[in-house]
Every structure is written in C-alpha cells, then in structure tokens.
Amino acid sequence: DTSVLNVPAHGEGIERPEVIAEGLAERLIAEAESAIKGKSQIGLLLSGGMDSRVIAAVLKCLQKHNPQIQIT
C-alpha cells in the first residue's frame, strides 16, 4: 500500500523530462552548496562511476558561480 509511505500513485502528476531534470539539478546543487558551505577548497575523488560524474558536474557548476571554490 503506497498510501502508507506517502508515495503518489504512478501516472499522476506527469512532468516533462526537462522539468524533472531541472528540479533534480536544483536539488543536487542546493545539497552540495549546503555540504561545502564555508569551504573554499574541495577535494574530489573520482571512481569513474555515475555518482562521481554527477557530483563533479555539480561542483563545476557551483565553481562557475563562485570562482573562489577550488576543486582538487
């Protein structure tokens, strides 16, 4: 029963993929901003997997808007 978990039924609230991607990107950026708040140098270890590539892109986006952030 998905109502117990507060999960919407499939097929409700369909959004265009672009809108979903934008929302996900905004949430990832906000989460990363929160995690690195007050830091100017960020170390990033890459495994080559999807998670590494996504966080590298998020950090690059943050760096574009805040050039003081150094990623090593």
Side-chain angles (χ1 to χ4, degrees), residues 4 6 15-16 19 28-29 40 52-53 56 61 64 69 71:
V4 174
N6 217 10
E15 287 286 352
R16 292 186 341 266
V19 173
L28 289 170
I29 290 168
S40 60
S52 293
R53 288 183 273 177
C61 179
K64 186 187 295 185
I69 297 173
I71 303 169

Side-chain angles (χ1 to χ4, degrees), residues 8-37:
H10 293 321
E12 290 183 24
I14 302 289
E15 287 286 352
R16 292 186 341 266
E18 300 83 15
V19 173
I20 294 170
E22 248 179 56
L24 176 60
E26 288 171 3
R27 286 172 178 84
L28 289 170
I29 290 168
E31 181 67 24
E33 270 183 320
S34 175
I36 67 171
K37 189 174 186 166

Side-chain angles (χ1 to χ4, degrees), residues 27-44 55-72:
R27 286 172 178 84
L28 289 170
I29 290 168
E31 181 67 24
E33 270 183 320
S34 175
I36 67 171
K37 189 174 186 166
K39 297 177 177 73
S40 60
Q41 188 156 2
I42 309 301
L44 178 62
I55 194 60
V58 167
L59 289 174
K60 192 67 173 174
C61 179
L62 287 175
Q63 187 181 43
K64 186 187 295 185
H65 296 289
N66 186 355
Q68 294 85 358
I69 297 173
Q70 297 298 312
I71 303 169
T72 57

